[in-house]
Amino acid sequence: MTVSHAPARSASLVIARAIVDNLRHALPEHTLLFDVRATEFVASLLENSRADSALGIAPGADAFREAGVAEYAAGHDLDRLARAYHGAGRSALPVLASLSRQPGAGASVVDTGVEALLRCSDVLIRLSTAAYRAAHTPSPAELRRDLLKEIVSGRAPAQWAALAARAGWAPPAQVVAVAAEPGTVLASFGPEVLADLAGEYPYLLVPDDLDVGRLLAGARVAIGPAVSPADAATSLRWARRTLELVRREVIEDGPLVRWSDHLTTHWLYADEVLTTALVTRSLAPIAGLPANERGKLADTLDAMLSARGGAPEIANNLGVHPQTVRNRLRRLRTLFGSRLDDPDARLDLRIALRADLLVGDPEPAQPTTPVRAA
């Protein structure tokens, strides 16, 4: 290929030598693997924009497969190799820059060369990763953990059906996600339950007809809606959202909190910006009043909107004298005017009062549990 499209063969070899030399330095135990054939393979990756076609048959490729197998045998994780491959690619950047300044080399060599280095690192990582995983026989616990991640990532059942069979998990018709506190200790459970209790945000996936209470060991958990396994990510999102609102003291605490018991709260908190705007607009007439007066008028307004009778019924509900209620009702009429007679405005007021009661603190604590699925 010409210099304007990719490094020439001689330039590719120079850059490949720099990459392989750095790998020998970063991974001295693999020095014998990274020989001349490995260097020529790296050079071919730098030259070939369709490098995948060389995988599996190109001379020198086995060096990187063997490195993956050796890392597994030594008990190392894949991150070590990945860091070494990326580091080796970065180490070749000065060599690439120097070559680009030579007579006849255009500026595009640097751009194409950087892309080639990134592509080369990616191919080397994939070679070693495939070999590493092929050498590794996952335990049943690892299979089930991997299966759980696949399910809550939102992948279609066809994509994890084989893994479910290997893990010995028979998908039930419906499941619920259970979000738990970090460090939660749970009782033992059977093969019908999938769990990740070691992560920062522990969670389980259980059949919806299973008694979740028997899995608990004094733990605080939140339960999402019952869904098909294909929609488990949705259940987990709402379970975590429920637990978050418990932590923020919006939802009453308890050892087992069900999403379905707090639908109105979830609705009001689904878009807090929108809810705050509704509260601000609807309750503007009493917003500037002293806190004590504002609270009494808000309570009276809420009781008035809910009552079917007049002042005596409202007074009884509030535990105050009827004349006190009449005085407050006159004050509310002055502040809100005809809005108290408009059905749409009354509905907005009821929602705003409920939201205002839930929000309470204008600056709630920051969430400690993510709303995303995984």
Side-chain angles (χ1 to χ4, degrees), residues 110-130:
V110 175
D111 296 333
T112 306
V114 169
E115 293 173 5
L117 288 173
L118 292 172
R119 184 176 64 249
C120 177
S121 296
D122 181 61
V123 171
L124 298 182
I125 290 170
R126 279 188 282 142
L127 280 169
S128 292
T129 298

Side-chain angles (χ1 to χ4, degrees), residues 11-26 39 42-43 46 84-85 87-96 99 117:
S12 298
L13 279 171
V14 172
I15 297 169
R17 289 191 190 103
I19 291 173
V20 174
D21 285 346
N22 189 274
L23 288 177
R24 292 192 187 107
H25 177 75
T39 302
V42 171
L46 295 171
Y85 292 154
R90 288 192 298 270
S91 73
L93 288 173
V95 178
L96 178 64
L99 289 170
L117 288 173

Side-chain angles (χ1 to χ4, degrees), residues 12 21 49 60 83 111 147 179 217 251 281 322:
S12 298
D21 285 346
S49 61
R83 288 193 300 270
D111 296 333
L147 172 62
I251 291 176
R281 187 195 68 179

Side-chain angles (χ1 to χ4, degrees), residues 15 115 128 131 185 199 215 344-345 366:
I15 297 169
E115 293 173 5
S128 292
V185 178
L215 301 177
D344 291 338
Q366 293 299 310

Side-chain angles (χ1 to χ4, degrees), residues 1-51:
M1 301 180 73
T2 63
V3 169
S4 62
H5 294 288
R9 179 62 176 172
S10 58
S12 298
L13 279 171
V14 172
I15 297 169
R17 289 191 190 103
I19 291 173
V20 174
D21 285 346
N22 189 274
L23 288 177
R24 292 192 187 107
H25 177 75
L27 303 166
E29 67 274 33
H30 300 322
T31 297
L32 295 178
L33 293 176
F34 301 138
D35 56 13
V36 173
R37 294 210 308 170
T39 302
E40 290 179 347
F41 173 65
V42 171
S44 71
L45 294 180
L46 295 171
E47 292 176 344
N48 190 350
S49 61
R50 298 176 61 84

Side-chain angles (χ1 to χ4, degrees), residues 211-232:
D211 181 9
V212 176
R214 73 177 178 82
L215 301 177
L216 304 180
R220 175 204 281 169
V221 302
I223 303 175
V227 297
S228 68
D231 295 319

